[in-house]
Amino acid sequence: MNRAVGVLGGMGPEATLDFFAKVLRRAGARSDQDHLRLLIDNNPGVPDRNAALSGRGESPGPVLAQMARGLQASGADFLVMVCNTAHAFEEDILNATTLPFVSLIEETRDAALREQPGLQRVGLLATSTCLGAGLYQSAFAPYGVSTLALEGSALARFMDLLYQIKAGDTGPRVRAEMRTLALELVDSGAEVLVAGCTEVPLVLDAQDVPVPLVNSTDVLVERTLQYARGLVPLPERSVKTPA
Amino acid sequence: MNRAVGVLGGMGPEATLDFFAKVLRRAGARSDQDHLRLLIDNNPGVPDRNAALSGRGESPGPVLAQMARGLQASGADFLVMVCNTAHAFEEDILNATTLPFVSLIEETRDAALREQPGLQRVGLLATSTCLGAGLYQSAFAPYGVSTLALEGSALARFMDLLYQIKAGDTGPRVRAEMRTLALELVDSGAEVLVAGCTEVPLVLDAQDVPVPLVNSTDVLVERTLQYARGLVPLPERSVKTPA
């Protein structure tokens, strides 16, 4: 019997759809009953993560906590969240339920470390908010890996692209601009790129860049299948702020 | 504020994914916050509807009831179910929660009646179980519309195709065979065809047939958007068996 997966989603909806589609593709199922049970809360009403962390809007924490509680009530055995930036509010989720929570940030870091043994410099395609919260930087630091990220006008262009993707534009112009930004990180010395925002894989593929690209959505899909099928032990709960 | 939609899904997962994708496409959203909140229980562990109604397996009723309760606990304001056949267990769902339930069968019937005023004969591309339970027949009867359905070996071929679609095959051979079966109903006098199984639209398009094709998934998508946005009143609850 597979474990039921609770999915905190809607940030944005296209990324959640992408995750759902990839879980179905990779499940290798031959009948309905071979598939995973996914309980998906596609909640586009989660307050804007970037606005909140820059002090321009309400915190998504309470809404994420309520979603987590609902997913537990519906029968989820563990939780995942299809949004890198929202992991800045991971503690609100951990404090809201008794379920194991699979960190997209830690899983993506681990995939990057597996991808390139001896990795020294990783390039982050991540939101200004994800970068500002230091999510990937603090995940990589204990492994002696330094991080490179877009800055200034390049970061502003990246953020603008993300909102265009959220508005439904995944066309060739957006793809070309994302590739240009990715190549800037490679030119700066990134040995591996992390697509550390679930909108990025919607417009950037491994063949677009000359170094390994670790796609956070793909990582989450693979790990979700492994956790749900009991092939690997679920992460221990590490609540930093006790409830 | 849009109403949150509770989705009983996973029957099969591809049909639920199709529904989710179409709701996103047709929402016309320009930012995350314009989208609908969809609470999706993609539960492929719902006992096989066809096996249950033919006496070869357990009833899906209790599992559907538990899913409905979970969706209500998670914050759903009304329920939809992305599976025609499972509507044979609608009473279990109605008895499990206090939420309005949008009937895919009734909505699809209404769409067929709107499509062709004066409709007399409708062709049903529906499972043997859906046909055996008389779901569409009893929905159309009060409107003086008679129904035509596949029978015998044609129905057996149709059922075989559905399980091939559920196993991931939506290729040209499956498409061609589905079209052949649809044309048999047209030859028998169907003025409108109802794709009354959510797997059918995965392999059959309106341009494949010479009469109007009413796609139950598309109908549910459009009506879900209207109900969620408060553009039409939600259906009254009509519990036939009081809880």
Side-chain angles (χ1 to χ4, degrees):
Chain A
M1 187 64 175
N2 291 325
R3 295 189 182 110
V5 188
V7 182
L8 293 119
M11 303 167 273
E14 288 294 342
T16 302
L17 178 70
D18 186 41
F19 173 79
F20 185 14
K22 285 174 172 164
V23 169
L24 294 194
R25 294 294 162 277
R26 299 195 195 172
R30 301 305 300 165
S31 74
D32 288 2
Q33 288 72 18
D34 290 341
H35 278 287
L36 299 190
R37 183 174 182 196
L38 293 176
L39 294 147
I40 302 173
D41 188 345
N42 180 71
N43 188 356
V46 176
D48 187 291
R49 284 69 65 197
N50 298 307
L53 283 171
S54 62
R56 291 176 288 111
E58 61 175 314
S59 168
V63 174
L64 293 171
Q66 177 251 316
M67 290 162 69
R69 282 191 292 269
L71 291 168
Q72 183 164 28
S74 296
D77 294 312
F78 68 96
L79 299 175
V80 302
M81 179 159 61
V82 191
C83 175
N84 287 267
T85 304
H87 280 67
F89 304 93
E90 181 181 337
E91 281 186 34
D92 294 283
I93 296 165
L94 283 167
N95 287 329
T97 81
T98 57
L99 297 178
F101 176 78
V102 173
S103 165
L104 176 55
I105 306 290
E106 291 175 13
E107 297 291 351
T108 302
R109 175 209 51 209
D110 292 348
L113 295 173
R114 282 194 301 271
E115 180 69 37
Q116 184 105 336
L119 176 63
Q120 295 197 310
R121 292 215 288 183
V122 66
L124 303 176
L125 287 164
T127 66
S128 50
T129 308
C130 185
L131 295 171
L135 300 179
Y136 274 107
Q137 298 94 318
S138 59
F140 276 109
Y143 296 84
V145 178
S146 63
T147 57
L148 289 170
L150 298 172
E151 293 174 11
S153 65
L155 183 56
R157 274 190 293 145
F158 177 77
M159 293 304 292
D160 195 42
L161 287 181
L162 295 186
Y163 283 96
Q164 290 173 42
I165 297 165
K166 284 176 185 287
D169 187 353
T170 56
R173 185 190 51 77
V174 171
R175 290 183 174 270
E177 290 190 27
M178 186 63 79
R179 180 165 179 273
T180 300
L181 293 170
L183 293 178
E184 284 188 21
L185 290 173
V186 176
D187 287 344
S188 302
E191 303 155 55
V192 168
L193 287 179
V194 163
C197 172
T198 50
E199 266 76 29
V200 173
L202 300 175
V203 297
L204 187 73
D205 298 315
Q207 60 265 34
D208 293 327
V209 289
V211 300
L213 175 70
V214 177
N215 174 331
S216 57
T217 305
D218 285 352
V219 169
L220 192 63
V221 167
E222 290 301 332
R223 294 294 282 173
T224 294
L225 283 162
Q226 292 172 2
Y227 286 125
R229 289 173 169 167
L231 303 178
V232 289
L234 279 163
E236 307 244 331
R237 286 179 53 87
S238 57
V239 183
K240 291 150 201 163
T241 311
Chain B
M1 188 66 178
N2 291 326
R3 295 189 181 110
V5 188
V7 183
L8 294 121
M11 304 166 272
E14 288 293 342
T16 302
L17 178 70
D18 186 41
F19 173 79
F20 185 14
K22 286 175 171 164
V23 169
L24 294 194
R25 295 292 164 277
R26 299 195 195 172
R30 301 304 299 166
S31 73
D32 287 4
Q33 287 73 19
D34 290 341
H35 279 287
L36 299 190
R37 184 175 181 195
L38 294 176
L39 294 148
I40 303 172
D41 189 344
N42 180 71
N43 189 356
V46 175
D48 188 290
R49 284 69 64 196
N50 299 307
L53 282 171
S54 63
R56 290 177 288 113
E58 60 175 315
S59 168
V63 175
L64 293 172
Q66 178 251 318
M67 291 163 69
R69 281 191 292 270
L71 292 169
Q72 181 163 29
S74 297
D77 294 313
F78 68 96
L79 298 175
V80 302
M81 180 159 61
V82 191
C83 175
N84 288 266
T85 303
H87 280 68
F89 304 93
E90 181 182 336
E91 282 187 32
D92 293 283
I93 296 166
L94 283 167
N95 287 329
T97 81
T98 56
L99 297 178
F101 176 77
V102 173
S103 164
L104 177 55
I105 307 292
E106 292 175 13
E107 297 290 352
T108 302
R109 175 210 50 210
D110 293 347
L113 295 173
R114 281 195 303 272
E115 180 69 38
Q116 183 103 337
L119 176 65
Q120 296 197 311
R121 292 217 285 186
V122 66
L124 303 175
L125 288 164
T127 66
S128 50
T129 309
C130 184
L131 296 170
L135 299 180
Y136 275 107
Q137 299 93 318
S138 59
F140 276 109
Y143 295 84
V145 178
S146 64
T147 57
L148 289 169
L150 299 171
E151 292 174 11
S153 65
L155 183 56
R157 274 190 293 146
F158 177 78
M159 294 303 293
D160 195 42
L161 287 182
L162 295 185
Y163 283 96
Q164 290 173 43
I165 297 166
K166 284 177 186 287
D169 187 352
T170 55
R173 186 191 50 77
V174 171
R175 288 182 176 271
E177 290 189 29
M178 186 63 77
R179 180 165 177 271
T180 299
L181 292 170
L183 293 178
E184 283 188 21
L185 290 173
V186 176
D187 288 344
S188 302
E191 304 153 56
V192 168
L193 287 179
V194 162
C197 172
T198 50
E199 266 78 29
V200 174
L202 301 175
V203 298
L204 188 72
D205 299 312
Q207 60 265 32
D208 293 327
V209 290
V211 300
L213 175 69
V214 178
N215 172 330
S216 57
T217 305
D218 285 352
V219 169
L220 193 62
V221 168
E222 290 300 333
R223 295 294 282 172
T224 295
L225 283 162
Q226 292 172 2
Y227 286 125
R229 290 174 167 165
L231 303 178
V232 290
L234 280 162
E236 306 244 332
R237 285 179 54 86
S238 56
V239 184
K240 291 152 201 160
T241 312

